[in-house]
């Protein structure tokens, strides 16, 4: 949400939408970290399987490792850094709130649209109508938790997938490591 959008709205709505914006970005970053872990783990596992199945040389191993690193950095840029830098407009945030709380009757979206100073005055209705709508919107949305409009299921799902991928990769690495140590031990 831009500073101009924030300043054009009543304080109560602006603070609620700003907290929703932070929550949406935070959830997107969490989702991105989960996806990053899943992609890095899957890419690393693929590289290990290829190395295990096919007798590859040092150059091929280096290429596989560089591919894993490249996939990790591309995923980092697209799913973690991108959402951190993305600005969500007040209209998009208002639509999230109105969708999550249909009892508001699209008041938040209307308030944001009518408060937008980039819209010509003649398209925003009379000042009296706008002030009444804004007062009514603030009154009706007072008990609404704006942060609840952001769905956290996707972020939680991707974090769980990422953690499971890394745990599976780690457990397999430990098993193979023990097998190799026992094979090369002096008692063997």
């Amino acid at each position: 949400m831009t500073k101009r959008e924030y300043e054009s709205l009543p304080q109560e709505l602006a603070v609620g939408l700003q907290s929703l914006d932070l929550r949406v970005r935070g959830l997107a970053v969490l989702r991105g970290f989960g996806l990053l872990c899943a992609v890095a783990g899957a890419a690393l596992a693929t590289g290990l399987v290829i190395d295990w199945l096919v007798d590859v040389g040092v150059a091929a191993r280096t290429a596989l490792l560089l591919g894993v690193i490249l996939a990790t950095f591309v995923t980092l840029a697209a799913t973690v850094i991108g959402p951190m830098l993305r600005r969500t407009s007040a209209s998009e945030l208002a639509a999230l709130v109105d969708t999550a709380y249909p009892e508001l009757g699209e008041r938040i979206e209307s308030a944001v649209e009518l408060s937008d100073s980039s819209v010509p005055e003649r398209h925003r209705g009379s000042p009296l109508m706008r002030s009444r709508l804004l007062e009514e919107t603030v009154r009706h949305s007072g008990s609404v938790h704006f942060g609840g409009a952001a769905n956290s299921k996707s972020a939680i799902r991707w974090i769980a997938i990422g953690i499971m991928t890394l745990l599976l990769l780690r457990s397999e690495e430990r098993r193979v490591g023990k097998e190799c140590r026992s094979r090369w031990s002096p008692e063997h």
Side-chain angles (χ1 to χ4, degrees), residues 78-100:
T79 64
V80 177
I81 296 171
M84 281 189 335
L85 300 177
R86 184 179 182 273
R87 292 283 179 211
T88 307
S89 73
S91 298
E92 291 172 304
L93 295 169
L96 277 175
V97 174
D98 283 339
T99 301

Side-chain angles (χ1 to χ4, degrees), residues 63 78 94 102 116 128 187:
D116 189 359
L128 177 63
E187 297 89 27

Side-chain angles (χ1 to χ4, degrees), residues 167-182:
L167 288 175
L168 286 171
L169 190 61
R170 174 69 179 141
S171 67
E172 185 61 18
E173 181 269 331
R174 289 187 68 183
R175 185 190 66 76
V176 171
K178 284 181 185 177
E179 185 179 305
C180 289
R181 283 190 299 276
S182 70

